[in-house]
Amino acid sequence: MPCSQADYSFLRQLLSSRSDNIVDPSRNDLFDARLYRVARSRGMNGLDDLVARLKMSSDPLLTQEVVEAMTINETSFFRDRSPFDLLKDKLLPSLIENRSQQQTLRLWSAACSTGQEAYSLAMLLRQHFPQLAQWKIEIVGTDINAEMVRRARSGRFQRMEVNRGLPARFLLQYFVRDEEEWKAIPELRSMCSFHQRNLSHAFPVLEKYDGILMRNVLFYFSEATRRLILRRMHSALCADGFLLLGASEQAGLHDLWQPVVDGSACYYKPRI
Ligand SMILES: C[S@@+](CC[C@H](N)C(=O)[O-])C[C@H]1O[C@@H](n2cnc3c(N)ncnc32)[C@H](O)[C@@H]1O
């Protein structure tokens, strides 16, 4: 049973305070669709019971479950293709040239969901840049959703997932079949690490990144949160690094980010 407007407001407020994700009042149905299962799995009758429980007691696990159930984790290997062509043909060759002395490369897949983007980067590097075999390569994936991070870490993907965007030759070269799943080979997994992080919380960055992919997540935040996150990303990126956003996202903040359009892809250079 749908809950009252006051209960939807409570849920909106809860979500915004924990993940900064915004749900427009016209999309209250998203709460119904995503939280009914959470309520039932805890033996409650519906959303109104769930909201009553959330209001009554502070249950961090239930709150976390609600926040995670509201995240949209859509992703795929080599998503949107053109950013990966841009990485292969332009962004990575230039970085690799600049890092030829240090022989290190640090890339961040921010809001990585189940990890396909991070593993796509690892495959791209292995496939097209064999000269990096002795380099220290770190591909760091982060997401607010603990279950997504756990799945990304496992390196295991279902048939439906490997059928989306992964060329057949990459599947055979970089994954081994394990019953109904495909598991990334150790060589790929050793290049990637995954951590639970909330993008809207301040995050200490001890070592800057050479490239950041933060795609298809900004539109869940308010304008103020987007700006805050983009400022922090600027501090987390090397001066010659790049930022890639989703196809329908823009950085704005022209004092900090210079957009560069390249064919059908766009990336951002940090202004110093
Ligand atoms: C649509 S997916 C995008 C996945 C991947 N970046 C891509 O483009 O394919 C959005 C991801 O953002 C994550 N997310 C939402 N709010 C977040 C936050 N505040 N901090 C970190 N991750 C967040 C969600 O858990 C979800 O996995």
Side-chain angles (χ1 to χ4, degrees), residues 60-96:
L61 284 180
L62 181 60
T63 306
Q64 175 72 7
E65 207 179 327
V66 164
V67 169
E68 293 194 359
M70 289 305 297
T71 60
I72 293 173
N73 310 109
E74 167 73 15
T75 190
S76 56
F77 289 101
F78 297 100
R79 186 174 185 177
D80 297 339
R81 193 69 237 183
S82 63
F84 289 93
D85 289 337
L86 180 67
L87 281 162
K88 171 168 73 69
D89 298 332
K90 180 169 177 176
L91 299 178
L92 290 172
S94 143
L95 262 184
I96 288 167

PDB file of all heavy atoms in Angstrom, residues 60-96:
ATOM      1  N   PRO A  60      20.756   1.351  12.101  1.00  0.00           N
ATOM      2  CA  PRO A  60      21.657   1.722  11.010  1.00  0.00           C
ATOM      3  C   PRO A  60      21.628   0.724   9.844  1.00  0.00           C
ATOM      4  O   PRO A  60      21.744   1.119   8.691  1.00  0.00           O
ATOM      5  CB  PRO A  60      23.039   1.742  11.673  1.00  0.00           C
ATOM      6  CG  PRO A  60      22.818   1.659  13.131  1.00  0.00           C
ATOM      7  CD  PRO A  60      21.433   1.162  13.377  1.00  0.00           C
ATOM      8  N   LEU A  61      21.417  -0.563  10.179  1.00  0.00           N
ATOM      9  CA  LEU A  61      21.423  -1.561   9.099  1.00  0.00           C
ATOM     10  C   LEU A  61      20.210  -1.395   8.187  1.00  0.00           C
ATOM     11  O   LEU A  61      20.311  -1.484   6.964  1.00  0.00           O
ATOM     12  CB  LEU A  61      21.447  -2.981   9.675  1.00  0.00           C
ATOM     13  CG  LEU A  61      22.807  -3.427  10.222  1.00  0.00           C
ATOM     14  CD1 LEU A  61      22.720  -4.843  10.757  1.00  0.00           C
ATOM     15  CD2 LEU A  61      23.886  -3.334   9.137  1.00  0.00           C
ATOM     16  N   LEU A  62      19.055  -1.128   8.837  1.00  0.00           N
ATOM     17  CA  LEU A  62      17.837  -0.930   8.038  1.00  0.00           C
ATOM     18  C   LEU A  62      17.977   0.344   7.192  1.00  0.00           C
ATOM     19  O   LEU A  62      17.625   0.368   6.009  1.00  0.00           O
ATOM     20  CB  LEU A  62      16.614  -0.840   8.955  1.00  0.00           C
ATOM     21  CG  LEU A  62      15.278  -0.662   8.236  1.00  0.00           C
ATOM     22  CD1 LEU A  62      14.991  -1.830   7.290  1.00  0.00           C
ATOM     23  CD2 LEU A  62      14.128  -0.512   9.237  1.00  0.00           C
ATOM     24  N   THR A  63      18.513   1.386   7.807  1.00  0.00           N
ATOM     25  CA  THR A  63      18.684   2.644   7.067  1.00  0.00           C
ATOM     26  C   THR A  63      19.606   2.418   5.865  1.00  0.00           C
ATOM     27  O   THR A  63      19.312   2.848   4.744  1.00  0.00           O
ATOM     28  CB  THR A  63      19.294   3.731   7.990  1.00  0.00           C
ATOM     29  OG1 THR A  63      18.477   3.832   9.131  1.00  0.00           O
ATOM     30  CG2 THR A  63      19.370   5.059   7.295  1.00  0.00           C
ATOM     31  N   GLN A  64      20.711   1.708   6.102  1.00  0.00           N
ATOM     32  CA  GLN A  64      21.653   1.425   5.014  1.00  0.00           C
ATOM     33  C   GLN A  64      20.965   0.619   3.907  1.00  0.00           C
ATOM     34  O   GLN A  64      21.137   0.891   2.722  1.00  0.00           O
ATOM     35  CB  GLN A  64      22.864   0.663   5.583  1.00  0.00           C
ATOM     36  CG  GLN A  64      23.886   0.185   4.550  1.00  0.00           C
ATOM     37  CD  GLN A  64      24.702   1.336   3.948  1.00  0.00           C
ATOM     38  OE1 GLN A  64      24.599   2.476   4.382  1.00  0.00           O
ATOM     39  NE2 GLN A  64      25.473   1.034   2.924  1.00  0.00           N
ATOM     40  N   GLU A  65      20.148  -0.355   4.324  1.00  0.00           N
ATOM     41  CA  GLU A  65      19.461  -1.192   3.340  1.00  0.00           C
ATOM     42  C   GLU A  65      18.518  -0.342   2.480  1.00  0.00           C
ATOM     43  O   GLU A  65      18.429  -0.523   1.264  1.00  0.00           O
ATOM     44  CB  GLU A  65      18.670  -2.276   4.076  1.00  0.00           C
ATOM     45  CG  GLU A  65      18.463  -3.528   3.245  1.00  0.00           C
ATOM     46  CD  GLU A  65      17.684  -4.602   4.008  1.00  0.00           C
ATOM     47  OE1 GLU A  65      17.824  -4.697   5.243  1.00  0.00           O
ATOM     48  OE2 GLU A  65      16.921  -5.316   3.350  1.00  0.00           O
ATOM     49  N   VAL A  66      17.837   0.602   3.135  1.00  0.00           N
ATOM     50  CA  VAL A  66      16.907   1.484   2.414  1.00  0.00           C
ATOM     51  C   VAL A  66      17.682   2.362   1.427  1.00  0.00           C
ATOM     52  O   VAL A  66      17.322   2.492   0.255  1.00  0.00           O
ATOM     53  CB  VAL A  66      16.103   2.343   3.428  1.00  0.00           C
ATOM     54  CG1 VAL A  66      15.433   3.515   2.748  1.00  0.00           C
ATOM     55  CG2 VAL A  66      15.072   1.473   4.139  1.00  0.00           C
ATOM     56  N   VAL A  67      18.792   2.936   1.895  1.00  0.00           N
ATOM     57  CA  VAL A  67      19.588   3.826   1.033  1.00  0.00           C
ATOM     58  C   VAL A  67      20.124   3.028  -0.166  1.00  0.00           C
ATOM     59  O   VAL A  67      20.053   3.470  -1.319  1.00  0.00           O
ATOM     60  CB  VAL A  67      20.755   4.462   1.835  1.00  0.00           C
ATOM     61  CG1 VAL A  67      21.737   5.163   0.919  1.00  0.00           C
ATOM     62  CG2 VAL A  67      20.195   5.441   2.861  1.00  0.00           C
ATOM     63  N   GLU A  68      20.621   1.823   0.099  1.00  0.00           N
ATOM     64  CA  GLU A  68      21.188   1.025  -0.993  1.00  0.00           C
ATOM     65  C   GLU A  68      20.105   0.562  -1.974  1.00  0.00           C
ATOM     66  O   GLU A  68      20.333   0.514  -3.176  1.00  0.00           O
ATOM     67  CB  GLU A  68      21.949  -0.177  -0.427  1.00  0.00           C
ATOM     68  CG  GLU A  68      23.183   0.276   0.334  1.00  0.00           C
ATOM     69  CD  GLU A  68      24.165  -0.846   0.642  1.00  0.00           C
ATOM     70  OE1 GLU A  68      23.889  -2.003   0.287  1.00  0.00           O
ATOM     71  OE2 GLU A  68      25.216  -0.530   1.227  1.00  0.00           O
ATOM     72  N   ALA A  69      18.912   0.243  -1.427  1.00  0.00           N
ATOM     73  CA  ALA A  69      17.830  -0.206  -2.314  1.00  0.00           C
ATOM     74  C   ALA A  69      17.410   0.908  -3.269  1.00  0.00           C
ATOM     75  O   ALA A  69      16.886   0.656  -4.348  1.00  0.00           O
ATOM     76  CB  ALA A  69      16.639  -0.670  -1.487  1.00  0.00           C
ATOM     77  N   MET A  70      17.655   2.164  -2.880  1.00  0.00           N
ATOM     78  CA  MET A  70      17.249   3.293  -3.709  1.00  0.00           C
ATOM     79  C   MET A  70      18.299   3.663  -4.756  1.00  0.00           C
ATOM     80  O   MET A  70      18.055   4.524  -5.598  1.00  0.00           O
ATOM     81  CB  MET A  70      16.957   4.519  -2.838  1.00  0.00           C
ATOM     82  CG  MET A  70      15.681   4.400  -2.010  1.00  0.00           C
ATOM     83  SD  MET A  70      14.206   4.042  -2.970  1.00  0.00           S
ATOM     84  CE  MET A  70      14.086   5.498  -4.000  1.00  0.00           C
ATOM     85  N   THR A  71      19.495   3.045  -4.712  1.00  0.00           N
ATOM     86  CA  THR A  71      20.498   3.407  -5.720  1.00  0.00           C
ATOM     87  C   THR A  71      20.183   2.681  -7.030  1.00  0.00           C
ATOM     88  O   THR A  71      19.672   1.564  -7.032  1.00  0.00           O
ATOM     89  CB  THR A  71      21.942   3.051  -5.283  1.00  0.00           C
ATOM     90  OG1 THR A  71      22.023   1.645  -5.050  1.00  0.00           O
ATOM     91  CG2 THR A  71      22.354   3.808  -4.040  1.00  0.00           C
ATOM     92  N   ILE A  72      20.500   3.329  -8.128  1.00  0.00           N
ATOM     93  CA  ILE A  72      20.278   2.733  -9.446  1.00  0.00           C
ATOM     94  C   ILE A  72      21.642   2.308  -9.963  1.00  0.00           C
ATOM     95  O   ILE A  72      22.539   3.135 -10.118  1.00  0.00           O
ATOM     96  CB  ILE A  72      19.586   3.750 -10.369  1.00  0.00           C
ATOM     97  CG1 ILE A  72      18.190   3.978  -9.804  1.00  0.00           C
ATOM     98  CG2 ILE A  72      19.525   3.257 -11.817  1.00  0.00           C
ATOM     99  CD1 ILE A  72      17.398   5.053 -10.449  1.00  0.00           C
ATOM    100  N   ASN A  73      21.823   1.009 -10.163  1.00  0.00           N
ATOM    101  CA  ASN A  73      23.163   0.469 -10.379  1.00  0.00           C
ATOM    102  C   ASN A  73      23.424   0.045 -11.820  1.00  0.00           C
ATOM    103  O   ASN A  73      24.346  -0.749 -12.088  1.00  0.00           O
ATOM    104  CB  ASN A  73      23.390  -0.718  -9.420  1.00  0.00           C
ATOM    105  CG  ASN A  73      23.033  -0.359  -7.991  1.00  0.00           C
ATOM    106  OD1 ASN A  73      22.042  -0.836  -7.453  1.00  0.00           O
ATOM    107  ND2 ASN A  73      23.802   0.527  -7.389  1.00  0.00           N
ATOM    108  N   GLU A  74      22.629   0.568 -12.719  1.00  0.00           N
ATOM    109  CA  GLU A  74      22.766   0.261 -14.143  1.00  0.00           C
ATOM    110  C   GLU A  74      24.208   0.518 -14.620  1.00  0.00           C
ATOM    111  O   GLU A  74      24.748   1.611 -14.412  1.00  0.00           O
ATOM    112  CB  GLU A  74      21.779   1.181 -14.891  1.00  0.00           C
ATOM    113  CG  GLU A  74      21.938   1.271 -16.377  1.00  0.00           C
ATOM    114  CD  GLU A  74      21.471   0.013 -17.079  1.00  0.00           C
ATOM    115  OE1 GLU A  74      20.783  -0.802 -16.457  1.00  0.00           O
ATOM    116  OE2 GLU A  74      21.842  -0.144 -18.255  1.00  0.00           O
ATOM    117  N   THR A  75      24.817  -0.463 -15.256  1.00  0.00           N
ATOM    118  CA  THR A  75      26.158  -0.274 -15.823  1.00  0.00           C
ATOM    119  C   THR A  75      26.404  -1.370 -16.852  1.00  0.00           C
ATOM    120  O   THR A  75      25.600  -2.291 -16.989  1.00  0.00           O
ATOM    121  CB  THR A  75      27.246  -0.301 -14.726  1.00  0.00           C
ATOM    122  OG1 THR A  75      28.492   0.119 -15.284  1.00  0.00           O
ATOM    123  CG2 THR A  75      27.424  -1.678 -14.100  1.00  0.00           C
ATOM    124  N   SER A  76      27.489  -1.258 -17.590  1.00  0.00           N
ATOM    125  CA  SER A  76      27.843  -2.331 -18.530  1.00  0.00           C
ATOM    126  C   SER A  76      29.311  -2.175 -18.913  1.00  0.00           C
ATOM    127  O   SER A  76      29.906  -1.126 -18.678  1.00  0.00           O
ATOM    128  CB  SER A  76      26.961  -2.276 -19.787  1.00  0.00           C
ATOM    129  OG  SER A  76      27.058  -1.016 -20.389  1.00  0.00           O
ATOM    130  N   PHE A  77      29.874  -3.231 -19.485  1.00  0.00           N
ATOM    131  CA  PHE A  77      31.253  -3.159 -19.954  1.00  0.00           C
ATOM    132  C   PHE A  77      31.337  -2.156 -21.109  1.00  0.00           C
ATOM    133  O   PHE A  77      30.455  -2.092 -21.964  1.00  0.00           O
ATOM    134  CB  PHE A  77      31.731  -4.538 -20.440  1.00  0.00           C
ATOM    135  CG  PHE A  77      31.945  -5.515 -19.319  1.00  0.00           C
ATOM    136  CD1 PHE A  77      31.003  -6.497 -19.024  1.00  0.00           C
ATOM    137  CD2 PHE A  77      33.088  -5.449 -18.534  1.00  0.00           C
ATOM    138  CE1 PHE A  77      31.205  -7.392 -17.985  1.00  0.00           C
ATOM    139  CE2 PHE A  77      33.300  -6.336 -17.480  1.00  0.00           C
ATOM    140  CZ  PHE A  77      32.354  -7.309 -17.213  1.00  0.00           C
ATOM    141  N   PHE A  78      32.417  -1.390 -21.149  1.00  0.00           N
ATOM    142  CA  PHE A  78      32.692  -0.434 -22.227  1.00  0.00           C
ATOM    143  C   PHE A  78      31.458   0.423 -22.534  1.00  0.00           C
ATOM    144  O   PHE A  78      31.128   0.671 -23.693  1.00  0.00           O
ATOM    145  CB  PHE A  78      33.192  -1.157 -23.491  1.00  0.00           C
ATOM    146  CG  PHE A  78      34.500  -1.868 -23.263  1.00  0.00           C
ATOM    147  CD1 PHE A  78      34.525  -3.236 -23.024  1.00  0.00           C
ATOM    148  CD2 PHE A  78      35.697  -1.174 -23.267  1.00  0.00           C
ATOM    149  CE1 PHE A  78      35.736  -3.892 -22.782  1.00  0.00           C
ATOM    150  CE2 PHE A  78      36.911  -1.810 -23.019  1.00  0.00           C
ATOM    151  CZ  PHE A  78      36.934  -3.183 -22.789  1.00  0.00           C
ATOM    152  N   ARG A  79      30.804   0.867 -21.467  1.00  0.00           N
ATOM    153  CA  ARG A  79      29.543   1.608 -21.608  1.00  0.00           C
ATOM    154  C   ARG A  79      29.741   2.851 -22.489  1.00  0.00           C
ATOM    155  O   ARG A  79      30.674   3.616 -22.279  1.00  0.00           O
ATOM    156  CB  ARG A  79      29.043   2.027 -20.229  1.00  0.00           C
ATOM    157  CG  ARG A  79      27.685   2.681 -20.253  1.00  0.00           C
ATOM    158  CD  ARG A  79      27.198   2.920 -18.847  1.00  0.00           C
ATOM    159  NE  ARG A  79      25.844   3.432 -18.867  1.00  0.00           N
ATOM    160  CZ  ARG A  79      25.137   3.675 -17.772  1.00  0.00           C
ATOM    161  NH1 ARG A  79      25.643   3.437 -16.582  1.00  0.00           N
ATOM    162  NH2 ARG A  79      23.904   4.155 -17.868  1.00  0.00           N
ATOM    163  N   ASP A  80      28.895   3.029 -23.436  1.00  0.00           N
ATOM    164  CA  ASP A  80      28.872   4.171 -24.369  1.00  0.00           C
ATOM    165  C   ASP A  80      30.029   4.163 -25.376  1.00  0.00           C
ATOM    166  O   ASP A  80      30.171   5.107 -26.142  1.00  0.00           O
ATOM    167  CB  ASP A  80      28.883   5.524 -23.631  1.00  0.00           C
ATOM    168  CG  ASP A  80      27.638   5.707 -22.784  1.00  0.00           C
ATOM    169  OD1 ASP A  80      26.639   5.014 -23.072  1.00  0.00           O
ATOM    170  OD2 ASP A  80      27.665   6.508 -21.838  1.00  0.00           O
ATOM    171  N   ARG A  81      30.873   3.202 -25.341  1.00  0.00           N
ATOM    172  CA  ARG A  81      31.974   2.970 -26.293  1.00  0.00           C
ATOM    173  C   ARG A  81      32.881   4.166 -26.571  1.00  0.00           C
ATOM    174  O   ARG A  81      34.090   4.072 -26.437  1.00  0.00           O
ATOM    175  CB  ARG A  81      31.383   2.446 -27.628  1.00  0.00           C
ATOM    176  CG  ARG A  81      32.397   1.870 -28.601  1.00  0.00           C
ATOM    177  CD  ARG A  81      32.983   0.573 -28.128  1.00  0.00           C
ATOM    178  NE  ARG A  81      34.448   0.660 -28.036  1.00  0.00           N
ATOM    179  CZ  ARG A  81      35.228  -0.352 -27.708  1.00  0.00           C
ATOM    180  NH1 ARG A  81      34.690  -1.525 -27.407  1.00  0.00           N
ATOM    181  NH2 ARG A  81      36.523  -0.203 -27.645  1.00  0.00           N
ATOM    182  N   SER A  82      32.300   5.352 -26.965  1.00  0.00           N
ATOM    183  CA  SER A  82      33.187   6.437 -27.427  1.00  0.00           C
ATOM    184  C   SER A  82      34.179   6.930 -26.363  1.00  0.00           C
ATOM    185  O   SER A  82      35.326   7.238 -26.704  1.00  0.00           O
ATOM    186  CB  SER A  82      32.398   7.597 -28.043  1.00  0.00           C
ATOM    187  OG  SER A  82      31.564   8.166 -27.085  1.00  0.00           O
ATOM    188  N   PRO A  83      33.838   6.987 -25.071  1.00  0.00           N
ATOM    189  CA  PRO A  83      34.864   7.388 -24.098  1.00  0.00           C
ATOM    190  C   PRO A  83      36.033   6.404 -24.063  1.00  0.00           C
ATOM    191  O   PRO A  83      37.179   6.802 -23.823  1.00  0.00           O
ATOM    192  CB  PRO A  83      34.119   7.370 -22.760  1.00  0.00           C
ATOM    193  CG  PRO A  83      32.683   7.405 -23.096  1.00  0.00           C
ATOM    194  CD  PRO A  83      32.518   6.824 -24.446  1.00  0.00           C
ATOM    195  N   PHE A  84      35.761   5.141 -24.318  1.00  0.00           N
ATOM    196  CA  PHE A  84      36.847   4.151 -24.293  1.00  0.00           C
ATOM    197  C   PHE A  84      37.730   4.280 -25.536  1.00  0.00           C
ATOM    198  O   PHE A  84      38.933   4.044 -25.471  1.00  0.00           O
ATOM    199  CB  PHE A  84      36.272   2.731 -24.128  1.00  0.00           C
ATOM    200  CG  PHE A  84      35.723   2.522 -22.743  1.00  0.00           C
ATOM    201  CD1 PHE A  84      34.383   2.750 -22.470  1.00  0.00           C
ATOM    202  CD2 PHE A  84      36.557   2.167 -21.689  1.00  0.00           C
ATOM    203  CE1 PHE A  84      33.886   2.613 -21.172  1.00  0.00           C
ATOM    204  CE2 PHE A  84      36.081   2.027 -20.401  1.00  0.00           C
ATOM    205  CZ  PHE A  84      34.732   2.254 -20.138  1.00  0.00           C
ATOM    206  N   ASP A  85      37.123   4.680 -26.671  1.00  0.00           N
ATOM    207  CA  ASP A  85      37.944   4.954 -27.863  1.00  0.00           C
ATOM    208  C   ASP A  85      38.840   6.159 -27.599  1.00  0.00           C
ATOM    209  O   ASP A  85      40.014   6.173 -27.965  1.00  0.00           O
ATOM    210  CB  ASP A  85      37.051   5.223 -29.088  1.00  0.00           C
ATOM    211  CG  ASP A  85      36.354   3.943 -29.555  1.00  0.00           C
ATOM    212  OD1 ASP A  85      36.868   2.846 -29.241  1.00  0.00           O
ATOM    213  OD2 ASP A  85      35.297   4.055 -30.195  1.00  0.00           O
ATOM    214  N   LEU A  86      38.242   7.163 -26.953  1.00  0.00           N
ATOM    215  CA  LEU A  86      39.013   8.370 -26.615  1.00  0.00           C
ATOM    216  C   LEU A  86      40.171   8.025 -25.667  1.00  0.00           C
ATOM    217  O   LEU A  86      41.299   8.502 -25.833  1.00  0.00           O
ATOM    218  CB  LEU A  86      38.065   9.377 -25.953  1.00  0.00           C
ATOM    219  CG  LEU A  86      38.656  10.698 -25.516  1.00  0.00           C
ATOM    220  CD1 LEU A  86      39.085  11.519 -26.727  1.00  0.00           C
ATOM    221  CD2 LEU A  86      37.627  11.503 -24.702  1.00  0.00           C
ATOM    222  N   LEU A  87      39.903   7.176 -24.697  1.00  0.00           N
ATOM    223  CA  LEU A  87      40.959   6.746 -23.762  1.00  0.00           C
ATOM    224  C   LEU A  87      42.074   6.025 -24.517  1.00  0.00           C
ATOM    225  O   LEU A  87      43.257   6.290 -24.319  1.00  0.00           O
ATOM    226  CB  LEU A  87      40.362   5.787 -22.716  1.00  0.00           C
ATOM    227  CG  LEU A  87      39.579   6.441 -21.583  1.00  0.00           C
ATOM    228  CD1 LEU A  87      38.672   5.431 -20.883  1.00  0.00           C
ATOM    229  CD2 LEU A  87      40.540   7.050 -20.569  1.00  0.00           C
ATOM    230  N   LYS A  88      41.671   5.136 -25.393  1.00  0.00           N
ATOM    231  CA  LYS A  88      42.659   4.317 -26.119  1.00  0.00           C
ATOM    232  C   LYS A  88      43.495   5.155 -27.076  1.00  0.00           C
ATOM    233  O   LYS A  88      44.715   5.007 -27.147  1.00  0.00           O
ATOM    234  CB  LYS A  88      41.908   3.208 -26.896  1.00  0.00           C
ATOM    235  CG  LYS A  88      42.780   2.411 -27.866  1.00  0.00           C
ATOM    236  CD  LYS A  88      42.070   1.183 -28.376  1.00  0.00           C
ATOM    237  CE  LYS A  88      40.959   1.484 -29.369  1.00  0.00           C
ATOM    238  NZ  LYS A  88      41.418   1.991 -30.675  1.00  0.00           N
ATOM    239  N   ASP A  89      42.832   6.071 -27.800  1.00  0.00           N
ATOM    240  CA  ASP A  89      43.527   6.771 -28.886  1.00  0.00           C
ATOM    241  C   ASP A  89      44.220   8.046 -28.421  1.00  0.00           C
ATOM    242  O   ASP A  89      45.161   8.501 -29.064  1.00  0.00           O
ATOM    243  CB  ASP A  89      42.522   7.141 -30.001  1.00  0.00           C
ATOM    244  CG  ASP A  89      41.909   5.886 -30.607  1.00  0.00           C
ATOM    245  OD1 ASP A  89      42.579   4.841 -30.580  1.00  0.00           O
ATOM    246  OD2 ASP A  89      40.752   5.963 -31.081  1.00  0.00           O
ATOM    247  N   LYS A  90      43.740   8.653 -27.320  1.00  0.00           N
ATOM    248  CA  LYS A  90      44.280   9.961 -26.983  1.00  0.00           C
ATOM    249  C   LYS A  90      44.685  10.095 -25.506  1.00  0.00           C
ATOM    250  O   LYS A  90      45.833  10.404 -25.197  1.00  0.00           O
ATOM    251  CB  LYS A  90      43.229  11.023 -27.341  1.00  0.00           C
ATOM    252  CG  LYS A  90      43.656  12.428 -27.041  1.00  0.00           C
ATOM    253  CD  LYS A  90      42.708  13.427 -27.660  1.00  0.00           C
ATOM    254  CE  LYS A  90      43.113  14.823 -27.276  1.00  0.00           C
ATOM    255  NZ  LYS A  90      42.278  15.821 -27.926  1.00  0.00           N
ATOM    256  N   LEU A  91      43.723   9.895 -24.597  1.00  0.00           N
ATOM    257  CA  LEU A  91      43.988  10.231 -23.190  1.00  0.00           C
ATOM    258  C   LEU A  91      45.072   9.342 -22.581  1.00  0.00           C
ATOM    259  O   LEU A  91      46.000   9.836 -21.927  1.00  0.00           O
ATOM    260  CB  LEU A  91      42.694  10.137 -22.379  1.00  0.00           C
ATOM    261  CG  LEU A  91      41.570  11.082 -22.827  1.00  0.00           C
ATOM    262  CD1 LEU A  91      40.315  10.892 -21.988  1.00  0.00           C
ATOM    263  CD2 LEU A  91      42.042  12.536 -22.721  1.00  0.00           C
ATOM    264  N   LEU A  92      44.989   8.037 -22.809  1.00  0.00           N
ATOM    265  CA  LEU A  92      45.992   7.154 -22.195  1.00  0.00           C
ATOM    266  C   LEU A  92      47.365   7.288 -22.850  1.00  0.00           C
ATOM    267  O   LEU A  92      48.377   7.377 -22.140  1.00  0.00           O
ATOM    268  CB  LEU A  92      45.495   5.696 -22.198  1.00  0.00           C
ATOM    269  CG  LEU A  92      44.337   5.451 -21.220  1.00  0.00           C
ATOM    270  CD1 LEU A  92      43.735   4.063 -21.390  1.00  0.00           C
ATOM    271  CD2 LEU A  92      44.788   5.648 -19.776  1.00  0.00           C
ATOM    272  N   PRO A  93      47.462   7.341 -24.198  1.00  0.00           N
ATOM    273  CA  PRO A  93      48.805   7.512 -24.786  1.00  0.00           C
ATOM    274  C   PRO A  93      49.516   8.756 -24.258  1.00  0.00           C
ATOM    275  O   PRO A  93      50.713   8.718 -23.957  1.00  0.00           O
ATOM    276  CB  PRO A  93      48.522   7.632 -26.297  1.00  0.00           C
ATOM    277  CG  PRO A  93      47.242   6.896 -26.491  1.00  0.00           C
ATOM    278  CD  PRO A  93      46.444   7.121 -25.229  1.00  0.00           C
ATOM    279  N   SER A  94      48.770   9.851 -24.097  1.00  0.00           N
ATOM    280  CA  SER A  94      49.414  11.073 -23.630  1.00  0.00           C
ATOM    281  C   SER A  94      49.862  10.933 -22.167  1.00  0.00           C
ATOM    282  O   SER A  94      50.968  11.326 -21.797  1.00  0.00           O
ATOM    283  CB  SER A  94      48.437  12.232 -23.861  1.00  0.00           C
ATOM    284  OG  SER A  94      48.497  13.141 -22.853  1.00  0.00           O
ATOM    285  N   LEU A  95      49.016  10.333 -21.335  1.00  0.00           N
ATOM    286  CA  LEU A  95      49.395  10.118 -19.925  1.00  0.00           C
ATOM    287  C   LEU A  95      50.604   9.191 -19.817  1.00  0.00           C
ATOM    288  O   LEU A  95      51.515   9.426 -19.028  1.00  0.00           O
ATOM    289  CB  LEU A  95      48.243   9.445 -19.186  1.00  0.00           C
ATOM    290  CG  LEU A  95      47.315  10.289 -18.372  1.00  0.00           C
ATOM    291  CD1 LEU A  95      46.305   9.406 -17.659  1.00  0.00           C
ATOM    292  CD2 LEU A  95      48.085  11.111 -17.342  1.00  0.00           C
ATOM    293  N   ILE A  96      50.576   8.145 -20.633  1.00  0.00           N
ATOM    294  CA  ILE A  96      51.646   7.142 -20.566  1.00  0.00           C
ATOM    295  C   ILE A  96      52.987   7.790 -20.929  1.00  0.00           C
ATOM    296  O   ILE A  96      54.013   7.521 -20.309  1.00  0.00           O
ATOM    297  CB  ILE A  96      51.287   5.937 -21.482  1.00  0.00           C
ATOM    298  CG1 ILE A  96      50.143   5.150 -20.822  1.00  0.00           C
ATOM    299  CG2 ILE A  96      52.499   5.039 -21.739  1.00  0.00           C
ATOM    300  CD1 ILE A  96      49.466   4.143 -21.727  1.00  0.00           C
TER     301      ILE A  96
END
